[in-house]
Amino acid sequence: MKAPEEILAVWRKFDDFPMETLTKAWLYSKQSNRKQRDVEAMKQHHKEFGVTGNCFDLAIWLLDAFKEAGIEAYPIGSELGTGDDHAAVMAVDRKGRRFLCDLGDQWLQPILIDGDDVAYTDEKLAGFFPGAEVQVLPEKDTFKVVYHRLNGKFSTQIYSTLPVSMKEFLAAADFSQSHVYPKPLLEVRLPWENETAHWEFCNWKSFLSTSKGLVEDPPLSTIDEWVERIHEKTGYDKTLLKESLEYFKGLEESSAS
């Protein structure tokens, strides 16, 4: 179910890239042109501030990296242009086999989605998603992923396998970048004991998802404390973090008044 080396070599370039909405909020507060950044702009912001972006940013960046490496890839998505959308990438190897590449959900590595391939299995697999085993269940034009966690807990997600045109994908990306959900979010893969775990900052709480369960962080009360914690996990520029988090606090206060 693992991708071949040529796909993995591109994927690994993004191993330490968080998925987050903090950059979007920071940009939104700074400029009137609230549209999807191109790859060059994203690379420049990453160089200057250490930041990455949301699922659209990461998908577009990954597509560009696959193109540069000569690997066929195309965007996929769900509920595009609704505000509840999710963006990912499908990479195709030299044999025509398709692999889900989802940086937005912080997968550890791509996974085969073709049910008729000899390498396919519907068994639960570790090593693809932090803190969970996964099953891939192909259906017509879609496939379901079942995430199995401790104590029998599980959740599901359905992906479309159909390519989305870049015109439609970029229009959905523009829509996403022009709307800021008032609860900040950042997810990043981090080493923990003998595995890679998933650290999440969401709505002023943070925790680590591991194969042994959730490890909750102590609560914090100030933006400066959150800046230090997020910087420690990501290396993001502290000034950018503070400005972004202050913007989120302003949104929160506006919605409460």
Side-chain angles (χ1 to χ4, degrees):
M1 296 286 279
K2 292 183 178 180
E5 182 56 37
E6 63 266 22
I7 290 177
L8 286 172
V10 175
W11 174 268
R12 291 189 190 113
K13 296 178 181 179
F14 297 84
D15 275 350
D16 61 349
F17 277 39
M19 188 290 300
E20 39 85 3
T21 61
L22 306 186
T23 300
K24 173 164 67 172
W26 178 75
L27 289 167
Y28 195 94
S29 69
K30 292 288 182 183
Q31 58 191 37
S32 58
N33 181 17
R34 293 159 178 168
K35 291 192 173 184
Q36 175 62 49
R37 296 174 293 163
D38 60 24
V39 174
E40 288 308 309
M42 288 189 277
K43 287 181 177 179
Q44 185 60 35
H45 290 147
H46 182 63
K47 181 179 179 181
E48 287 184 33
F49 308 109
V51 298
T52 55
N54 70 357
C55 63
F56 282 101
D57 293 314
L58 295 175
I60 290 167
W61 202 336
L62 182 61
L63 284 167
D64 183 75
F66 278 134
K67 182 179 180 181
E68 189 175 306
I71 295 170
E72 179 185 352
Y74 56 86
I76 58 173
S78 60
E79 300 185 73
L80 294 180
T82 66
D84 293 320
D85 36 18
H86 182 66
V89 171
M90 198 75 77
V92 184
D93 72 4
R94 296 171 185 173
K95 299 178 181 178
R97 302 184 303 162
R98 299 171 297 172
F99 294 84
L100 169 69
C101 302
D102 192 344
L103 290 170
D105 275 350
Q106 293 286 286
W107 283 65
L108 299 176
Q109 61 178 308
I111 193 167
L112 180 73
I113 62 104
D114 292 317
D116 58 354
D117 190 88
V118 293
Y120 170 79
T121 177
D122 63 0
E123 294 181 1
K124 294 186 288 187
L125 299 171
F128 287 92
F129 194 85
E133 294 180 317
V134 297
Q135 279 179 294
V136 175
L137 305 175
E139 300 173 9
K140 186 179 186 301
D141 296 334
T142 64
F143 62 98
K144 180 189 295 183
V145 175
V146 185
Y147 304 87
H148 297 269
R149 295 178 172 84
L150 283 180
N151 305 321
K153 295 179 180 179
F154 71 93
S155 59
T156 62
Q157 184 172 4
I158 294 176
Y159 291 86
S160 170
T161 60
L162 300 176
V164 179
S165 72
M166 281 307 297
K167 181 178 180 181
E168 180 185 353
F169 194 71
L170 290 175
D174 282 344
F175 181 87
S176 174
Q177 306 301 4
S178 64
H179 293 77
V180 179
Y181 185 62
K183 296 179 180 179
L185 174 66
L186 183 144
E187 303 175 26
V188 64
R189 293 158 289 180
L190 295 175
W192 182 81
E193 294 189 353
N194 296 317
E195 63 181 274
T196 301
H198 178 275
W199 186 79
E200 182 169 340
F201 162 64
C202 180
N203 194 25
W204 310 104
K205 296 180 181 179
S206 64
F207 54 87
L208 195 66
S209 298
T210 77
S211 62
K212 298 178 182 178
L214 287 183
V215 180
E216 296 187 2
D217 292 331
L220 299 176
S221 57
T222 70
I223 285 178
D224 286 342
E225 289 174 317
W226 279 115
V227 167
E228 291 298 326
R229 180 175 288 177
I230 296 169
H231 172 77
E232 178 191 347
K233 304 295 185 183
T234 65
Y236 277 20
D237 180 84
K238 292 182 181 181
T239 300
L240 183 149
L241 284 173
K242 186 168 184 176
E243 291 175 351
S244 176
L245 295 177
E246 285 176 342
Y247 183 77
F248 276 112
K249 274 297 183 186
L251 290 179
E252 187 179 85
E253 291 165 1
S254 296
S255 62
S257 60

